[in-house]
């Protein structure tokens, strides 16, 4: 049966089988844990510990500073070693709280206590989410307690759980849905209590039959919940694509999903909400995939936030004998960020480390030619943009045309155009730079 999908998109090879074979391992790091204070969209959190303080796992170490901000909790027990600038996974540097891990993972008092979901009112659910420091775990990093408090909650008629996971190599959401479907569904029910007129739809790509079955089983008997298999196609998991597929509504640049009556949460975020409310667990860890053709033993681990990527690569057996790490990405090959060092910590919104034996961008640069005017980039753009013309305007730095005539700021940097381009033009990279230049000029 052909499932629903969006216009455009591409079909990159998935390589999901690499990391799906092994059971999920609970990885306990041995090195220092490093917590950037800016692991979310919004104002960085404010450290509330100082060098020399003893901390426990689950203890608040930096508190949300302002409305759009998020708490940060320690994922280990130990001693605060430093508060200093360190590399982050995105290539920048940020203030980080460094904790010398004592290897005991002793929990703070009150963590892990079972609680009844029905005992929580709507505002108490939001408070628990804020307390736990939950942000969008699908990559966005937007503070969840803010996302779930739109101006008109009664106008929300869809809560969409994003279980698409369309990026090649990454399988942590698939594994979560297979193994913790009840937690995701309970998280969805908690969110639905905030939106009295909404129904819940769990959208899963149809190349994940085990996840679809597990989630459908967990939803059984609840008329307000359904599982919607969607066609496996990249970027099916993009917020705009998913809202379009589930509701038929089209999100434009500058609009929020709530403007169209929708709230979209990643399945990992929903599970974190369940654990915060019903298990008194702040966000100390998440499922994380270490994969790629250069990795010895690709698999998915439960990873403590703040763990160094170098430890995680070692946990996956390191680099395969005879292979070479030519490209290291935080995330997958389509939307991931190239990393210059493995000495960077996993943040809340990071879901994968992908290590590849070849650098496709480097190869493409060697093979790049002038635009062939084939139009393929326009056919695959999920937003309906014309990347070929956007590239011409961007190269001429004609930002007026780029923004006003070609709607270039609507680009979601999915990379579908770059993937399909026979002339190997680095379109997405150019669009990201152009958007950054336009936004910087606007801020001035
Ligand atoms: S990167 Fe931007 S322009 Fe290219 S296909 Fe994706 S949304 Fe369209
Ligand atoms: S896909 Fe590449 S070669 Fe074809 S029109 Fe677009 S930019 Fe030009």
């Amino acid at each position: 049966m052909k499932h629903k999908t969006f216009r455009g998109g591409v079909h990159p090879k998935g390589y999901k089988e690499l990391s799906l074979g092994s059971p999920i391992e609970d990885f306990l790091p041995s090195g220092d844990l490093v917590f950037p204070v800016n692991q979310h969209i919004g104002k960085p959190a404010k450290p509330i510990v100082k060098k020399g303080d003893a901390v426990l796992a689950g203890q608040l170490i930096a508190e949300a500073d302002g409305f759009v901000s998020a708490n940060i909790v320690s994922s280990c027990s130990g001693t605060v070693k430093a508060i200093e600038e360190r590399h982050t996974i995105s290539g920048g540097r940020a203030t980080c709280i460094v904790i010398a891990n004592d290897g005991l993972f002793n929990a703070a008092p009150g963590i892990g206590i079972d609680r009844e979901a029905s005992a929580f009112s709507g505002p108490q659910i939001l408070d628990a989410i804020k307390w736990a420091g939950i942000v969008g775990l699908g990559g966005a990093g937007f503070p969840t307690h803010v996302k779930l408090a739109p101006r008109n909650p009664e106008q929300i008629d869809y809560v969409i759980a994003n279980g698409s996971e369309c990026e090649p190599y990454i399988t942590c959401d698939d594994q979560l849905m297979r193994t913790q479907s009840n937690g995701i569904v309970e998280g969805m029910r908690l969110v639905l209590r905030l939106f009295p007129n909404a129904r819940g739809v769990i959208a899963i790509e149809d190349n994940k039959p085990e996840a679809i079955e597990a989630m459908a089983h967990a939803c059984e008997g609840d008329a307000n919940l359904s599982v919607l298999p969607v066609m496996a196609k990249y970027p099916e998991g993009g917020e705009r694509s998913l809202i379009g597929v589930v509701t038929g509504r089209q999100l434009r640049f500058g609009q929020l999903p709530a403007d169209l009556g929708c709230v979209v949460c990643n399945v990992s975020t929903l599970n974190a909400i369940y654990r915060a409310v019903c298990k008194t667990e702040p966000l100390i860890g998440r499922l994380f995939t270490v994969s790629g053709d250069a990795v010895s033993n690709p698999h998915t681990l439960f990873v403590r936030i703040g763990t160094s990527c170098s430890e995680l690569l070692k946990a996956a057996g390191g680099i395969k004998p005879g292979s070479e790490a030519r490209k290291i990405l935080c995330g997958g090959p389509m939307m991931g960020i190239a990393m210059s060092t493995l000495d960077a910590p996993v943040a809340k919104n990071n879901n994968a480390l992908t290590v590849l034996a070849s650098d496709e961008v480097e190869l493409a640069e060697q093979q790049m030619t002038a635009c062939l005017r084939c139009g393929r980039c326009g056919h695959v753009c999920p937003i309906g943009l014309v990347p070929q013309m956007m590239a011409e305007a961007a190269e001429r730095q004609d930002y007026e045309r780029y923004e006003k005539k070609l709607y270039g700021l609507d680009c979601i940097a999915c990379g579908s155009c770059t993937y399909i381009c026979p002339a190997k033009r680095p379109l997405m990279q150019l669009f990201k730079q152009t958007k950054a230049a336009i936004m910087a000029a606007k801020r001035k």
Side-chain angles (χ1 to χ4, degrees):
M1 178 183 157
K2 215 170 171 190
H3 293 119
K4 283 172 82 175
T5 189
F6 59 97
R7 170 205 177 280
V10 291
H11 295 274
K13 188 161 164 26
Y15 300 103
K16 306 274 191 182
E17 68 289 351
L18 287 180
S19 56
L20 274 175
S22 318
I24 297 167
E25 183 192 329
D26 187 0
F27 180 71
L28 294 176
S30 56
D32 293 347
L33 295 195
V34 177
F35 301 86
V37 295
N38 63 348
Q39 299 181 41
H40 49 264
I41 288 176
K43 209 166 165 199
K46 219 168 32 182
I48 58 163
V49 289
K50 58 181 187 321
K51 188 176 171 184
D53 283 356
V55 295
L56 293 167
Q59 180 180 328
L60 183 69
I61 54 172
E63 65 186 5
D65 187 12
F67 183 57
V68 184
S69 186
N71 286 342
I72 294 172
V73 294
S74 176
S75 57
C76 69
S77 51
T79 310
V80 178
K81 189 172 171 183
I83 299 178
E84 61 187 21
E85 273 214 350
R86 293 270 183 119
H87 281 293
T88 64
I89 213 161
S90 58
R93 290 177 74 81
T95 301
C96 295
I97 301 170
V98 183
I99 297 186
N101 168 20
D102 64 12
L104 301 173
F105 300 93
N106 288 329
I111 302 297
I113 293 171
D114 284 344
R115 303 191 288 198
E116 268 304 315
S118 57
F120 283 74
S121 65
Q124 286 170 332
I125 292 170
L126 288 173
D127 283 348
I129 293 168
K130 183 177 179 189
W131 164 81
I134 298 172
V135 303
L137 299 186
F142 193 75
T144 303
H145 65 281
V146 182
K147 179 188 246 190
L148 297 182
R151 214 170 299 137
N152 299 311
E154 67 288 345
Q155 286 178 12
I156 301 296
D157 56 358
Y158 278 98
V159 174
I160 302 169
N162 188 348
S164 298
E165 199 169 59
C166 54
E167 262 277 357
Y169 291 100
I170 304 176
T171 58
C172 53
D173 285 349
D174 188 356
Q175 306 236 44
L176 183 79
M177 290 186 285
R178 294 179 189 206
T179 57
Q180 296 176 53
S181 54
N182 287 330
I184 298 167
V185 167
E186 286 307 318
M188 173 66 112
R189 289 195 178 113
L190 284 161
V191 172
L192 283 167
R193 296 220 338 245
L194 305 170
F195 303 108
N197 300 317
R199 77 188 87 160
V201 179
I202 301 157
I204 308 173
E205 279 193 341
D206 55 12
N207 61 355
K208 301 174 182 61
E210 291 90 344
I212 291 172
E213 196 185 327
M215 293 304 301
H217 184 62
C219 292
E220 255 167 28
D222 189 331
N224 204 29
L225 284 182
S226 60
V227 172
L228 178 71
V230 293
M231 188 191 286
K233 186 168 71 164
Y234 180 88
E236 192 77 70
E239 208 165 56
R240 288 180 188 216
S241 312
L242 213 55
I243 289 173
V245 171
V246 174
T247 70
R249 303 168 192 169
Q250 296 307 321
L251 195 69
R252 300 295 307 171
F253 181 70
Q255 276 188 316
L256 295 171
D259 297 332
L260 297 184
C262 300
V263 165
V264 183
C265 286
N266 181 269
V267 287
S268 297
T269 312
L270 292 171
N271 191 51
I273 290 171
Y274 158 70
R275 301 205 72 83
V277 174
C278 300
K279 300 285 173 192
T280 329
E281 270 182 30
L283 187 63
I284 58 164
R286 59 162 302 146
L287 291 193
F288 187 92
T289 302
V290 183
S291 190
D293 57 0
V295 176
S296 285
N297 178 23
H299 61 297
T300 289
L301 309 116
F302 179 78
V303 166
R304 260 85 185 153
I305 306 299
T307 302
S308 161
C309 288
S310 56
E311 270 206 67
L312 293 175
L313 183 54
K314 271 191 214 134
I319 300 300
K320 211 190 269 182
S323 193
E324 201 185 331
R326 300 295 300 271
K327 184 102 184 174
I328 303 175
L329 294 152
C330 161
M334 297 298 283
M335 288 185 97
I337 299 170
M339 293 173 65
S340 55
T341 172
L342 278 168
D343 185 22
V346 170
K348 296 173 187 179
N349 59 336
N350 300 140
N351 58 0
L353 179 69
T354 306
V355 186
L356 302 173
S358 62
D359 183 347
E360 293 294 328
V361 175
E362 200 178 275
L363 290 175
E365 275 167 5
Q366 289 161 9
Q367 297 163 4
M368 188 171 80
T369 66
C371 171
L372 308 170
R373 306 200 168 275
C374 66
R376 288 186 198 174
C377 49
H379 283 127
V380 299
C381 178
I383 310 297
L385 303 174
V386 190
Q388 172 197 351
M389 289 185 184
M390 283 161 58
E392 286 167 6
E395 279 162 356
R396 284 199 314 271
Q397 297 188 357
D398 185 349
Y399 295 153
E400 177 79 11
R401 178 171 160 75
Y402 185 88
E403 180 185 351
K404 303 272 163 56
K405 295 269 190 307
L406 301 169
Y407 304 101
L409 294 184
D410 277 18
C411 169
I412 56 167
C414 69
S416 298
C417 51
T418 311
Y419 174 82
I420 207 76
C421 177
K424 306 287 181 202
R425 300 184 65 74
L427 299 164
M428 178 188 74
Q429 293 82 348
L430 178 62
F431 302 154
K432 271 181 157 179
Q433 287 161 9
T434 306
K435 189 172 192 171
I438 294 173
M439 297 312 281
K442 280 182 192 288
R443 276 195 295 275
K444 265 190 199 163

